[in-house]
Amino acid sequence: MRHRSTTGSTARTGIPNRARRFGPRGRAGATAALAVLAVTTAAGCRAEATGSASAAQPSSPRATASDDGRSAPPPSPTTPAPPSPSSSPPSPSPTATTSPTPKPDPQGKTLMSSGSQGGQVRELQARLRQIGHFDRSPTGYYGTVTVAAVQSFQGKRGLSRTGRTDTLTWQKLLGMTHRPTATELNPPTTRPVAKPDKRCLTGRVLCISKNSRTLSWMIDGRVLSSMDVRFGSQYTPTREGTFSVYWKSRHHVSTIYDTPMPYAMFFSGGQAVHYSADFAARGYNGASHGCVNVRDEGKIASLFDQVKTGDKVVVY
């Protein structure tokens, strides 16, 4: 914005009026004065751009933040000059972070836990049964009953009662028990097998006793295998009578209850003989919705391969 001058030509040109009155000499002096003024003004711009009008005595550079968050001290005379303000500041080094090292389990690596299944679980159960911590036949499934048995064993030996079979628990158990026999690993049933109904004495029959809660696979009166079973509750009872297997489904899932029914052999409507993980885990604390549950997966898998469509089923 242009300001109105109150001093006439002096304000517009910066040259005293009397210089004009001296002719060429005055004009020469004025010209020299303008040149000095221009040099002085330009030098001031350059000095401002580099940070100081006096290059002989540079001032201490401005402190910058150091890596640990504190102000860094000014550099010594031998330290190279810091970059100009127009340069991008260096990126700070990332602060190293250390994750806490997890403490190892004093009882070692977990070998088996709830949900595990297979031959080693069956051996665990057989060994626990030898010393009175597991009160039923091995099933090969690590359910709530097995968790409680392991906790009981751990408590007696002064170990943490985790219910998981870790390295230390397993080694102590091995040292106190002998290698299970075939009968200990696969006993016929946990209960005495009832005397077969007379309808089971001829042909190929799944002979199922509600009294003894057992199933016997029989051919012409000879028992080939037996296994524990459970039935429906009083509100969903398992039907009694003589039936026949009309459909087999190895990987069946109930469309009514949306639950797995592996190795299902249907004999009466929606009722079937099949493996039950719940039965393996909870035993007789539960009940089916009318089916005949088997808790030994190995045995029901073998039975499924032997039974044919049309074989007789007797429930009594």
Side-chain angles (χ1 to χ4, degrees):
M1 178 178 181
R2 178 179 294 179
H3 295 279
R4 179 178 299 176
S5 173
T6 58
T7 59
S9 59
T10 303
R12 288 194 300 272
T13 64
I15 304 172
N17 291 334
R18 62 184 179 182
R20 300 185 180 188
R21 294 197 295 270
F22 291 107
R25 292 180 61 185
R27 285 194 295 273
T31 300
L34 283 172
V36 172
L37 179 61
V39 171
T40 304
T41 304
C45 290
R46 284 197 301 271
E48 185 174 329
T50 57
S52 174
S54 176
Q57 298 292 334
S59 60
S60 298
R62 191 169 48 187
T64 57
S66 64
D67 288 345
D68 61 2
R70 296 174 295 182
S71 294
S76 63
T78 58
T79 304
S84 63
S86 61
S87 302
S88 300
S91 301
S93 301
T95 304
T97 57
T98 57
S99 301
T101 303
K103 295 182 179 180
D105 189 333
Q107 293 185 189
K109 177 183 177 182
T110 297
L111 304 177
M112 294 168 277
S113 60
S114 182
S116 299
Q117 53 186 318
Q120 191 176 25
V121 176
R122 185 179 293 276
E123 181 181 352
L124 167 71
Q125 294 166 336
R127 288 179 180 273
L128 288 171
R129 188 179 188 185
Q130 290 175 12
I131 53 178
H133 289 281
F134 193 75
D135 61 355
R136 61 189 60 189
S137 294
T139 63
Y141 182 84
Y142 205 120
T144 55
V145 175
T146 305
V147 169
V150 172
Q151 288 176 329
S152 173
F153 174 79
Q154 290 171 330
K156 289 283 188 179
R157 304 298 172 267
L159 304 175
S160 297
R161 293 168 54 89
T162 63
R164 302 186 303 270
T165 303
D166 47 61
T167 307
L168 183 56
T169 301
W170 183 243
Q171 291 301 324
K172 284 188 175 293
L173 181 61
L174 291 180
M176 299 180 61
T177 56
H178 62 263
R179 186 179 185 84
T181 64
T183 302
E184 288 176 322
L185 289 172
N186 295 281
T189 62
T190 59
R191 303 170 180 277
V193 178
K195 181 179 179 180
D197 184 275
K198 63 182 181 179
R199 292 170 291 178
C200 301
L201 299 179
T202 57
R204 298 163 59 89
V205 187
L206 291 173
C207 191
I208 304 169
S209 169
K210 284 188 172 182
N211 289 331
S212 65
R213 294 192 282 191
T214 58
L215 178 156
S216 294
W217 168 232
M218 303 178 63
I219 297 180
D220 294 333
R222 183 167 60 94
V223 177
L224 301 182
S225 64
S226 298
M227 56 204 73
D228 294 329
V229 293
R230 74 176 183 182
F231 306 95
S233 67
Q234 60 177 324
Y235 304 105
T236 56
T238 302
R239 302 182 189 98
E240 299 177 13
T242 302
F243 312 92
S244 63
V245 175
Y246 69 87
W247 181 38
K248 295 172 62 181
S249 179
R250 184 181 296 272
H251 303 293
H252 193 77
V253 177
S254 171
T255 57
I256 299 176
Y257 303 105
D258 194 30
T259 55
M261 297 170 55
Y263 309 107
M265 293 172 281
F266 290 88
F267 61 86
S268 177
Q271 295 189 357
V273 177
H274 67 85
Y275 171 71
S276 169
D278 182 74
F279 183 27
R282 298 198 300 146
Y284 291 101
N285 292 326
S288 74
H289 291 95
C291 289
V292 178
N293 290 165
V294 178
R295 65 178 171 188
D296 190 316
E297 188 173 13
K299 287 186 175 183
I300 187 67
S302 176
L303 181 64
F304 184 88
D305 291 337
Q306 297 175 62
V307 173
K308 300 177 182 178
T309 301
D311 284 348
K312 189 189 307 182
V313 178
V314 176
V315 182
Y316 66 99

